[in-house]
Every structure is written in structure tokens, then in C-alpha cells.
Amino acid sequence: MRDKDKFLEALIKSNGHHNVTDLGAQIGLDENATMEIVTQLLAEFKIEYVSNGFCDYSLMKNQNRTKKYNR
């Protein structure tokens, strides 16, 4: 599984309870690699920037993606 997919899955499972740097570290990424993935996901409109507590990013509303990662 690619790092971007792993990161997106970790973001979904964390449900906004961890910041992106911590999520990246959990799957073995350094801060630069994590921010590169966040930038890619923002450009692909898979996540959006939202300031809401611990995590500044949330998933874009898409039912199919949510169902895929919540199995």
C-alpha cells in the first residue's frame, strides 16, 4: 500500500483526534514526507483544511471513500 493511502486511512481512523505529523509518524513518515502527502491530498480534493481542535484537516464529504476505509 502506498504511503498516501496509508496516511489517508490513518486520518480516517483517527477521526480528527491526532494531528497530521503524529499520524505520519505512526506509519513511519518524517515530517517532510507527511506534509508532501497532505499537499497532494489537498490538491486532489480528498481532504480540506479545517481548524477544529487537534487535527487541522478533515476528509472531503464522499460516502464511497468513507465506507471503503471503515471496513
Side-chain angles (χ1 to χ4, degrees), residues 3-4 7 29 32-42:
D3 289 337
K4 186 167 60 171
F7 180 82
L29 300 174
N32 291 333
T34 300
M35 294 314 294
E36 184 177 321
I37 289 172
V38 168
T39 303
Q40 291 173 4
L41 291 171
L42 284 167

Side-chain angles (χ1 to χ4, degrees), residues 8-37:
L8 187 58
E9 183 177 345
L11 183 63
I12 291 168
K13 288 182 180 180
S14 78
N15 199 23
H17 295 283
H18 295 90
N19 66 38
V20 293
T21 308
D22 291 341
L23 289 174
Q26 287 178 6
I27 61 171
L29 300 174
D30 63 9
E31 187 174 350
N32 291 333
T34 300
M35 294 314 294
E36 184 177 321
I37 289 172

Side-chain angles (χ1 to χ4, degrees), residues 5 7 12-13 23 31 41 48-49 51 62 66 69:
D5 295 332
F7 180 82
I12 291 168
K13 288 182 180 180
L23 289 174
E31 187 174 350
L41 291 171
E48 62 183 343
Y49 180 81
S51 182
N62 184 333
T66 304
Y69 288 107

